[in-house]
Amino acid sequence: MDQYTLNLLVVGATFALYIGIAIWARAGSTAEFYAAGQGVPPVMNGMATAADWMSAASFISMAGIIALAPAGGYTQSSFLMGWTGGYVLLALLLAPYLRKFGKFTVPEFVGDRFYSNGARVVAVICLIVISVTYVIGQMRGVGVTFARFLEVSTDTGLYIGAAIVFAYAVFGGMKGITYTQVAQYCVLIVAYTIPAIFISLQITGNFLPQLGLLGGYAPTGGDVAFLAKLDQVVTELGFTQYTSHTTSTLNMVFFTMSLMIGTAGLPHVIIRFFTVPKVSDARWSAGWALVFIALLYTVAPAVGSMARLNISTTFWPNAVEGNALDGEALSLEQINTNPELAWINTWKNTGLLNFEDKNGDGFIQYYNENNAGMQAIAAERGWTGNELTKIDNDMMVLANPEIAKLPGWVIALVAAGGLAAALSTAAGLLLAISSAISHDLIKGSINPNISEKGELLAARISMGFAILLATWLGLNPPGFAAQVVALAFGLAAATIFPVLMMGIFSKRVNKEGAIAGMLVGLIATAIYIFLFLGWFFIPGTAMLANTPDNWLFGISPASFGTVGAMLNFGTAYIVSGLTKAPPREVQDLVESIRVPKGAGAATGH
Amino acid sequence: MAEEPQNNNAYWAANVRIILISLTIWASVSFGFGIILRPALMGISVGGADLGFWFAQQGSILTFLGLIFFYAWRMNKLDAEHGVEE
């Protein structure tokens, strides 16, 4: 059976599974549609949260983002600490209390706690901006993964993906999404781990990639540490040392903090904790979510760095035993004739990898052409530039099964895993958007007397529209899709996280304080990002060059969420101090959410 | 039920104390050992790199896991001690 048929079979089987689950888990009430009827066991919710959280970017790109970073792999540790540390904040500061509050959406808490429809609407706006920007990337991810493995156009892939999400999200709501996400987690983690184990065995002799990262370099007997070998090879080729700290410490701290509080403030993650039966389950569930996330996040840096060393030594065969530059580079003849190296041409055809024999010597020299020392060596040896002209971040995960000579079904599984990661995150985001529209806007503001049946229908229609909008944005992505992710995290950090935390931990912060705080956080963060990346991301409207010299205290736009959060907290406390304390019943509400007793089922009103 | 508010206040104070201790550890392993204090820990090597690198790429994630499970376990105990469990 050829690879294409195999991919089609495995991906088709997983899709049949998702649709089967959707038929089984059809939502019959708004409680089931918004919060899966609060009946999801904590371990399962942990799995669903992990699938919800880990997007196509985590699955396909993260290993490469870390391993191929020009500033070195260590500096990218911010992603690892930031995207996991946020769960500590969720478990300790938000999830148990929001579960006790027992409503369906994040804006609903903001509206009730700050006794103001205005506050609720500001929260809805923040939620929609955050979730819509996020969902664009997911829909692209679905299209791209389809295109890569099933030989359809990106647009066709997007339509198929949207149809699948439609099938289980519109009918199943949170209930359908939750159980599908559990299945999707299983698919994606198996797909990620199998090739990782093989590359770890190959490069370090360790079965566990996590230990492999700290292990010895197997091809020379394991006496040299793997990381030391990697540092030696990349520096010899003129790249930044892998383990060294080369960026501003302050910016790294602020960036890590932005990712942590941004993670804790993402609405589609928070609403997952509304689905468990009890307050104590919300605490355990955050722990299980992190277990399942850590399974991938501790493997990613190992896989990425091993793949990078593997590619470096492939192009410099002498680097395995000694110094790369003491021997010849990989020859074109080898690439075209050696069956072991067939993957190089395969991946060149997909555009993720590219090479060009610039000086026509029949060898492909891979080095950092911007490094002064390497330029001298190149001039001496007659090289005319780096000839491995492209290694895409996504290569580090997608090409691994082929490089490690794994059977075809593993490659098919990686395709299904990438799709599972993208679909599960898209579905979670779409639910957050549709519940904000049907529950917070329609039921909360426009028509409070809507019946249960009417609201359920409104929820399904909003979901349908959200999918159409996401599909349209996926087909016509704004050119700034990459920058927008900074905005999503920055806004979640500067608006949602502080307002929720103050709502729980302070009885004194009132509606004036909360609204002023959210607006200051929102506007300050948005303006700082727009100053460097263009007003509303329109090219050419940036007022300052996006370089560390221009940044305020060296804080990059992506790290500014931390500052936005500080401004939000500060403003809220000052304004609250100057205006009158919240009414008695609101203070009682705060008292009641702090104590687990009497949580019961969530209510829609 | 006159003592209920007092009991709830004591429960909340104990909870906040546990949170503060946990967050101190949370910040020490990530921002501390992983970033700011890394130069000071350079001398301690862990499998080909230094302790700070290990904390930044693996150690802090493992500590976070331990922290959440510790908190869930400790709070279950605290809920029972104060009679506020569900």
Side-chain angles (χ1 to χ4, degrees):
Chain A
M1 200 182 318
D2 66 346
Q3 188 62 46
Y4 176 74
T5 321
L6 208 53
N7 288 354
L8 212 58
L9 277 177
V10 174
V11 170
T14 59
F15 279 12
L17 175 69
Y18 305 153
I19 292 185
I21 293 171
I23 294 168
W24 169 73
R26 210 169 166 277
S29 67
T30 51
E32 287 188 344
F33 195 90
Y34 293 135
Q38 270 102 10
V40 183
V43 180
M44 255 193 191
N45 188 51
M47 251 186 219
T49 310
D52 202 337
W53 170 240
M54 292 189 291
S55 56
S58 284
F59 186 91
I60 300 174
S61 313
M62 196 167 68
I65 288 174
I66 296 170
L68 296 173
Y74 166 76
T75 54
Q76 304 299 90
S77 308
S78 289
F79 290 108
L80 298 167
M81 291 186 282
W83 284 343
T84 55
Y87 283 84
V88 177
L89 300 178
L90 268 170
L92 273 53
L93 304 176
L94 303 181
Y97 317 106
L98 293 174
R99 173 61 192 88
K100 173 64 198 295
F101 176 66
K103 301 282 179 74
F104 295 142
T105 68
V106 172
E108 194 173 14
F109 173 78
V110 175
D112 283 11
R113 165 60 184 85
F114 297 105
Y115 47 100
S116 148
N117 227 5
R120 189 172 181 175
V121 171
V122 175
V124 169
I125 293 169
C126 295
L127 182 152
I128 290 181
V129 173
I130 294 165
S131 304
V132 168
T133 50
Y134 225 94
V135 86
I136 301 171
Q138 299 314 311
M139 297 310 275
R140 291 297 297 166
V142 173
V144 169
T145 317
F146 263 109
R148 199 156 288 158
F149 290 100
L150 300 181
E151 295 166 31
V152 295
S153 74
T154 307
D155 289 0
T156 313
L158 220 160
Y159 289 126
I160 303 173
I164 299 283
V165 173
F166 190 91
Y168 68 79
V170 170
F171 297 106
M174 186 58 127
K175 197 176 166 197
I177 289 173
T178 301
Y179 292 105
T180 329
Q181 280 173 338
V182 171
Q184 284 162 336
Y185 178 78
C186 298
V187 171
L188 79 86
I189 201 66
V190 171
Y192 203 81
T193 318
I194 292 176
I197 289 171
F198 278 92
I199 192 163
S200 180
L201 278 172
Q202 202 176 343
I203 307 277
T204 67
N206 255 308
F207 184 72
L208 284 178
Q210 290 92 335
L211 293 177
L213 184 68
L214 308 170
Y217 182 57
T220 52
D223 297 333
V224 183
F226 162 71
L227 281 169
K229 180 74 188 175
L230 179 61
D231 271 345
Q232 178 228 314
V233 173
V234 297
T235 45
E236 202 193 342
L237 301 177
F239 296 99
T240 311
Q241 192 177 13
Y242 193 80
T243 56
S244 66
H245 187 172
T246 55
T247 54
S248 145
T249 300
L250 180 75
N251 189 45
M252 189 168 170
V253 168
F254 272 55
F255 184 48
T256 308
M257 183 64 99
S258 273
L259 295 176
M260 284 181 176
I261 57 183
T263 301
L266 285 175
H268 70 285
V269 176
I270 297 173
I271 55 173
R272 287 240 44 98
F273 294 96
F274 297 164
T275 66
V276 293
K278 294 192 299 182
V279 173
S280 57
D281 293 336
R283 300 185 194 122
W284 289 118
S285 191
W288 285 112
L290 191 54
V291 168
F292 297 123
I293 291 167
L295 274 178
L296 194 145
Y297 278 24
T298 53
V299 170
V303 167
S305 53
M306 287 171 201
R308 179 161 178 198
L309 181 58
N310 196 19
I311 288 181
S312 304
T313 56
T314 302
F315 280 86
W316 292 101
N318 215 52
V320 176
E321 302 277 348
N323 292 329
L325 302 182
D326 289 351
E328 281 292 355
L330 185 66
S331 67
L332 272 177
E333 195 199 332
Q334 278 280 320
I335 294 174
N336 293 329
T337 56
N338 187 344
E340 298 265 302
L341 300 174
W343 59 268
I344 297 177
N345 274 320
T346 313
W347 288 92
K348 186 186 181 196
N349 293 338
T350 65
L352 291 187
L353 183 83
N354 208 357
F355 57 85
E356 184 194 345
D357 188 11
K358 292 177 184 167
N359 60 355
D361 64 354
F363 295 93
I364 301 299
Q365 285 94 10
Y366 162 53
Y367 65 101
N368 182 4
E369 60 188 10
N370 299 317
N371 179 295
M374 288 311 290
Q375 284 165 353
I377 294 173
E380 199 179 294
R381 302 195 180 187
W383 303 343
T384 49
N386 170 34
E387 296 180 345
L388 183 58
T389 46
K390 182 174 182 186
I391 316 176
D392 194 276
N393 284 336
D394 299 356
M395 268 289 292
M396 299 283 130
V397 169
L398 297 177
N400 259 344
E402 266 180 276
I403 299 176
K405 302 269 163 310
L406 297 181
W409 62 267
V410 179
I411 298 169
L413 201 57
V414 170
L419 286 169
L423 289 175
S424 57
T425 307
L429 287 160
L430 290 164
L431 187 91
I433 297 168
S434 75
S435 61
I437 294 170
S438 62
H439 196 64
D440 292 308
L441 291 183
I442 297 178
K443 176 146 176 110
S445 301
I446 299 167
N447 180 10
N449 297 322
I450 191 167
S451 69
E452 157 91 13
K453 245 179 124 179
E455 195 189 342
L456 189 57
L457 182 66
R460 290 203 158 111
I461 295 172
S462 326
M463 176 71 87
F465 273 109
I467 293 173
L468 289 180
L469 175 72
T471 310
W472 185 80
L473 286 169
L475 291 172
N476 306 287
F480 47 78
Q483 286 103 309
V484 171
V485 177
L487 185 73
F489 270 93
L491 291 188
T495 59
I496 309 258
F497 176 78
V499 78
L500 294 179
M501 194 180 154
M502 287 185 291
I504 296 159
F505 284 82
S506 163
K507 282 191 263 184
R508 186 63 185 80
V509 174
N510 58 17
K511 83 171 172 204
E512 291 84 0
I515 295 176
M518 275 196 283
L519 289 176
V520 167
L522 174 74
I523 293 167
T525 309
I527 288 181
Y528 193 78
I529 293 174
F530 289 157
L531 276 177
F532 292 102
L533 300 177
W535 291 92
F536 300 96
F537 302 107
I538 297 163
T541 59
M543 298 171 79
L544 292 164
N546 192 15
T547 58
D549 305 337
N550 288 331
W551 297 341
L552 186 68
F553 305 118
I555 297 167
S556 76
S559 312
F560 200 76
T562 307
V563 180
M566 290 179 194
L567 293 172
N568 183 338
F569 279 117
T571 310
Y573 277 104
I574 292 169
V575 172
S576 300
L578 298 174
T579 45
K580 69 183 202 312
R584 186 70 243 166
E585 64 268 22
V586 168
Q587 301 195 24
D588 290 345
L589 170 77
V590 177
E591 291 271 339
S592 89
I593 58 169
R594 290 177 174 183
V595 178
K597 199 173 187 170
T603 49
H605 35 79
Chain B
M1 299 298 269
E3 69 228 61
E4 197 181 280
Q6 221 174 352
N7 176 36
N8 285 358
N9 286 343
Y11 167 78
W12 184 248
N15 177 18
V16 170
R17 202 164 45 241
I18 298 168
I19 292 176
L20 285 176
I21 295 168
S22 306
L23 288 185
T24 309
I25 299 170
W26 164 81
S28 317
V29 295
S30 51
F31 301 109
F33 301 156
I35 305 176
I36 299 165
L37 299 175
R38 189 180 172 213
L41 302 173
M42 270 303 176
I44 310 168
S45 74
V46 176
D50 52 284
L51 191 64
F53 180 85
W54 181 76
F55 265 107
Q57 301 229 324
Q58 290 185 355
S60 44
I61 300 179
L62 299 176
T63 314
F64 296 156
L65 272 173
L67 273 177
I68 299 181
F69 282 106
F70 161 76
Y71 181 74
W73 166 80
R74 186 69 191 78
M75 286 307 288
N76 271 6
K77 238 176 73 173
L78 192 73
D79 291 353
E81 280 164 23
H82 288 260
V84 296
E85 77 276 27
E86 295 149 277

